[in-house]
Amino acid sequence: SSLVGTPSFSPACSNMGLTRGSAHKRRSTGGRKVAIHKKRKYELARPSAATKLGDKRIHTVRTMGGNKKYRALRLETGNFSWPSEGTTRKTRIVDVVYNAANAELVRTNSLTKGAIVMIDATPFRQYYVSKYNKLMGTKKGKGGSKAEQEILATKKSKHLQRKLDSRAAASKIDQHISDASVTGRLFARLSSRPGQSGRADGYILEGKELEFYMKKTEKK
């Protein structure tokens, strides 16, 4: 027999954690639901990853069925596609500039799906030079980087030169991207889920979407 005044202890109470179940929520009418069972293992939820910008650090999480999730705690690079050019390059994530979910995620440099980030433009500038044999965007009186100049100076066969010349008409890109590339930074949006896949991949913003987020990030 237990002592008077001593609280009873149930093993079930010790494992009460986060859950994805909806038994605790009210109905759409406002009525309360009666819990028909306790929490189940298959309903469990886990704390958010809160992936930050920094040296790569990924934890492996064992999930249902013996599968794995890759919980990125810190990431600094990702694969970003350039939709209009149909190419992808691995590049460095420089900064988080906007997040529609919460402004606090910008201050803490948190990487989440849908976050707007600034990425290093160097790999894309070099791609552009090698494909079109011209610089992507330059400041007045200044040429490209040493690597870009080397690509331009590479000896080319007549066949290759004709091929490069034929691409000239297609070399026109979004003016905003051209201007931003001069600073060495491009706007991009994360499309992967770093806390689930352990990756921070996304795509470069262009057109109306780029204009929308440029307005959002303008200093007031």
Side-chain angles (χ1 to χ4, degrees):
S1 61
S2 59
L3 296 171
V4 177
T6 305
S8 59
F9 177 81
S10 167
C13 296
S14 64
N15 295 322
M16 297 291 274
L18 301 174
T19 180
R20 288 180 296 107
S22 60
H24 65 287
K25 290 183 177 288
R26 287 178 177 263
R27 294 186 173 87
S28 58
T29 58
R32 292 188 64 180
K33 292 181 190 174
V34 176
I36 59 170
H37 63 67
K38 291 185 178 179
K39 291 180 181 180
R40 298 290 191 253
K41 179 75 186 285
Y42 57 76
E43 290 175 342
L44 73 79
R46 298 182 182 90
S48 62
T51 310
K52 300 284 193 295
L53 196 57
D55 295 337
K56 184 177 175 181
R57 189 176 178 199
I58 299 171
H59 283 185
T60 305
V61 180
R62 196 264 188 198
T63 60
M64 196 165 182
N67 295 305
K68 290 178 182 176
K69 281 185 179 180
Y70 299 96
R71 185 82 77 236
L73 303 179
R74 286 196 292 271
L75 287 172
E76 58 182 352
T77 58
N79 292 327
F80 288 86
S81 69
W82 189 353
S84 64
E85 286 292 322
T87 189
T88 301
R89 291 289 183 274
K90 182 179 181 179
T91 189
R92 188 169 55 91
I93 300 170
V94 179
D95 194 17
V96 180
V97 292
Y98 181 74
N99 197 313
N102 191 343
E104 186 71 7
L105 297 174
V106 178
R107 191 184 66 80
T108 55
N109 270 345
S110 296
L111 301 174
T112 64
K113 181 176 178 177
I116 306 303
V117 297
M118 295 298 278
I119 59 172
D120 185 9
T122 305
F124 297 98
R125 284 181 62 88
Q126 290 177 2
Y127 154 81
Y128 187 87
V129 173
S130 61
K131 185 176 180 181
Y132 298 112
N133 202 37
K134 59 191 275 191
L135 296 172
M136 190 168 160
T138 54
K139 288 182 181 176
K140 253 188 177 179
K142 285 190 176 182
S145 66
K146 188 180 177 183
E148 290 168 5
Q149 293 295 349
E150 284 175 3
I151 295 169
L152 287 172
T154 305
K155 194 173 181 182
K156 300 169 182 69
S157 66
K158 289 181 181 178
H159 172 71
L160 178 56
Q161 192 59 54
R162 284 197 303 273
K163 200 174 183 180
L164 292 170
D165 293 341
S166 69
R167 290 173 178 167
S171 65
K172 188 167 174 58
I173 57 171
D174 191 316
Q175 190 58 46
H176 290 305
I177 290 181
S178 184
D179 294 342
S181 72
V182 175
T183 65
R185 302 282 182 267
L186 291 172
F187 278 91
R189 186 175 191 268
L190 294 185
S191 56
S192 68
R193 302 170 68 196
Q196 307 291 317
S197 64
R199 302 174 68 95
D201 299 340
Y203 60 92
I204 292 173
L205 296 177
E206 297 178 288
K208 294 287 184 186
E209 191 176 16
L210 174 57
E211 289 173 16
F212 175 82
Y213 285 114
M214 283 177 75
K215 284 179 184 174
K216 287 284 186 184
T217 55
E218 280 174 4
K219 288 181 180 177
K220 298 193 169 72

